[in-house]
Amino acid sequence: MASRERPLEKRPHGSGTKPVKRGNRWYMQVTLGRRLDGKLDRRWASGATPEEAQQKARELQVAAAQGMLPTYERLTVGDWLQTWLQAKATKAAPTYTLKLEAHIKHIRESLGRVELRKLRPAHVHTLGQKLEAKSLAPSYRREVLCTLEAALERAVAMELIPRNVARPVKLESTPQVRKVKAWDAQTVSRFLEVSKPYRLYPLFYLGFATGLRREELLGLRWQDVDLPNRTLRVEQTLTPVKGSVHIGPPKSRASRRVVSFGLDVVAVLEDWRVRQREEARILGDHWQDTGLVFTSSTGQPLHPRNVNRDMAAIIKRHELPPLSPHGMRHTHATLLAQKTKQIELVSRRLGHARPSITLDLYRHVAAWELEEVALPLSELLSPAPRTLN
């Protein structure tokens, strides 16, 4: 009489497939949840015996439950950058998102097809070399690498990769002295004289008088201007975004500041407000009340390209030295630094995070620092104090 076969033991749900022998080892498959693409994450465990294979499978399950499971996803750097950018775009300003998109374009050209888990510092170093070959500015190359480092840092937090391979890679380049374009006082006076007939004359005047950025000038509201006390608050900016404009907060905490101005600015702004109110009265219901100081003839926000266009036209017509709207800021800072010899004061007025940034930009106008300390040895040895101006 044939012996009855021993019935198979029923395995618990989720314990994996039955161990099978292949060659000299036993293998079994276990499901550990779902991958990033939504498919089931199935892994193989092996051992010299069925029991050892089952033990390996249990270890995989425990590691998955603790979030310590190594990833074997064939996720490329390009795919991850896209996922990371989509998450950032939900919280970041549109202008910042556009900047990240430009950075990621450079990264994907070089590393887009590399598997995220196979990315190494050598890949990042090669990216830096390719960026340098494109003759991109060192500061911009650093921004691109910083974007990659930030994206990889998030991948580490998500346990997609064990470490951030971009962190140890540093750019090796010759330090470059930043040069800014600015006008002298005579040129500024000439420009303001010939620009009086133009609609944007008050904007130009305020730009040279306060050193506000173009985006800060265009985002300025009447509620932020206190004419009796001759101050204004920088509370928002207006920036271009794909043919339109975006109004949002200033670029940094230091940029949110109070800026004082003189009686001449009060007179210019009062005249401008009278003209703007007259335009609103004439248009009636067709006037768009945005509350902005500088608007179009219908009250709508001004696009930054209008400022660039009008300034360039005035400069060309009257044969003045080239200068961009941002040059008004540099000109103000240069003239103020030469007049006051107070870099820290200039820094606060410009909204720089640190005086060192201001000093780096306007070192060429800080020659008095060297003159002030060029003292003869006899005076250095003298006990009498000397106050520097």
Side-chain angles (χ1 to χ4, degrees):
M1 185 175 178
S3 61
R4 297 180 63 180
E5 294 183 1
R6 184 178 179 181
L8 295 176
E9 294 181 4
K10 188 175 181 179
R11 296 183 307 279
H13 179 71
S15 61
T17 61
K18 179 183 177 180
V20 294
K21 191 173 184 180
R22 294 177 183 173
N24 295 326
R25 295 186 67 80
W26 291 80
Y27 294 86
M28 64 178 295
Q29 193 180 62
V30 63
T31 302
L32 304 173
R34 293 189 178 275
R35 302 183 306 187
L36 294 179
D37 57 8
K39 297 180 180 179
L40 291 175
D41 186 1
R42 294 190 175 98
R43 308 289 178 98
W44 286 99
S46 66
T49 64
E51 292 75 17
E52 185 178 346
Q54 291 175 338
Q55 177 62 28
K56 296 286 186 181
R58 284 192 292 269
E59 290 175 1
L60 283 174
Q61 290 176 316
V62 171
Q66 295 177 345
M68 300 299 293
L69 188 68
T71 177
Y72 294 98
E73 299 288 348
R74 292 188 176 181
L75 188 68
T76 65
V77 173
D79 292 338
W80 172 247
L81 288 173
Q82 190 63 31
T83 302
W84 176 76
L85 179 62
Q86 290 174 355
K88 293 286 288 186
T90 59
K91 300 179 181 179
T95 49
Y96 181 63
T97 303
L98 289 176
K99 179 186 289 188
L100 292 181
E101 288 178 354
H103 296 170
I104 288 175
K105 183 179 179 181
H106 289 293
I107 300 170
R108 295 186 68 169
E109 288 176 0
S110 179
L111 307 177
R113 296 184 179 181
V114 179
E115 286 188 31
L116 184 62
R117 66 188 179 90
K118 293 183 179 180
L119 190 65
R120 297 293 181 267
H123 292 109
V124 183
H125 181 72
T126 301
L127 169 64
Q129 291 179 325
K130 290 184 178 180
L131 294 175
E132 187 174 2
K134 292 181 179 180
S135 299
L136 298 173
S139 58
Y140 187 79
R141 300 202 303 268
R142 280 192 292 271
E143 288 181 4
V144 174
L145 291 185
C146 284
T147 296
L148 176 60
E149 183 176 344
L152 295 181
E153 196 63 31
R154 182 58 182 167
V156 172
M158 297 294 292
E159 297 183 0
L160 297 175
I161 51 177
R163 64 191 181 102
N164 191 334
V165 298
R167 188 175 297 171
V169 180
K170 304 299 179 184
L171 283 177
E172 296 179 4
S173 58
T174 304
Q176 295 185 357
V177 179
R178 299 176 65 181
K179 295 181 180 180
V180 297
K181 289 186 177 181
W183 281 345
D184 56 24
Q186 292 75 17
T187 306
V188 175
S189 298
R190 172 63 177 160
F191 174 84
L192 292 176
E193 179 184 352
V194 299
S195 64
K196 281 185 178 180
Y198 288 80
R199 178 179 177 80
L200 294 184
Y201 167 74
L203 183 146
F204 296 139
Y205 198 101
L206 189 61
F208 282 114
T210 62
L212 264 63
R213 300 177 177 91
R214 180 191 62 178
E215 292 76 12
E216 295 170 343
L217 290 167
L218 294 177
L220 187 64
R221 299 168 298 185
W222 282 114
Q223 70 183 57
D224 300 326
V225 180
D226 186 350
L227 290 180
N229 292 316
R230 295 181 299 179
T231 60
L232 61 84
R233 301 189 314 275
V234 179
E235 297 288 348
Q236 64 179 27
T237 61
L238 184 149
T239 52
V241 179
K242 296 182 177 179
S244 183
V245 295
H246 169 75
I247 296 179
K251 61 183 295 186
S252 67
R253 183 179 300 178
S255 297
R256 197 185 296 269
R257 63 199 187 280
V258 176
V259 179
S260 59
F261 48 80
L263 290 173
D264 57 332
V265 172
V266 173
V268 170
L269 290 181
E270 284 180 340
D271 290 344
W272 171 246
R273 185 159 59 176
V274 170
R275 175 178 173 177
Q276 195 180 60
R277 286 174 174 173
E278 180 63 15
E279 291 175 342
R281 186 190 66 79
I282 295 173
L283 288 179
D285 294 339
H286 296 289
W287 173 265
Q288 182 179 342
D289 188 8
T290 59
L292 296 174
V293 175
F294 302 110
T295 64
S296 69
S297 57
T298 59
Q300 296 178 349
L302 278 173
H303 196 284
R305 64 169 172 259
N306 293 351
V307 181
N308 295 22
R309 180 194 61 207
D310 285 13
M311 188 170 185
I314 297 172
I315 290 173
K316 183 178 180 180
R317 177 172 297 181
H318 297 278
E319 299 180 346
L320 296 171
L323 192 74
S324 68
H326 198 69
M328 296 189 295
R329 177 175 169 84
H330 290 318
T331 298
H332 174 80
T334 299
L335 296 177
L336 186 61
Q338 291 173 336
K339 211 68 166 173
T340 65
K341 299 184 179 181
Q342 297 288 335
I343 286 294
E344 189 172 351
L345 180 151
V346 177
S347 180
R348 290 199 304 268
R349 188 171 177 83
L350 294 180
H352 286 162
R354 299 179 304 278
S356 59
I357 298 175
T358 313
L359 191 59
D360 178 50
L361 282 170
Y362 304 105
R363 173 70 69 180
H364 61 289
V365 298
W368 71 82
E369 290 183 327
L370 300 179
E371 296 173 0
E372 293 284 5
V373 297
L375 304 178
L377 181 59
S378 58
E379 188 167 345
L380 290 178
L381 299 177
S382 172
R386 180 180 186 273
T387 302
L388 299 180
N389 296 328

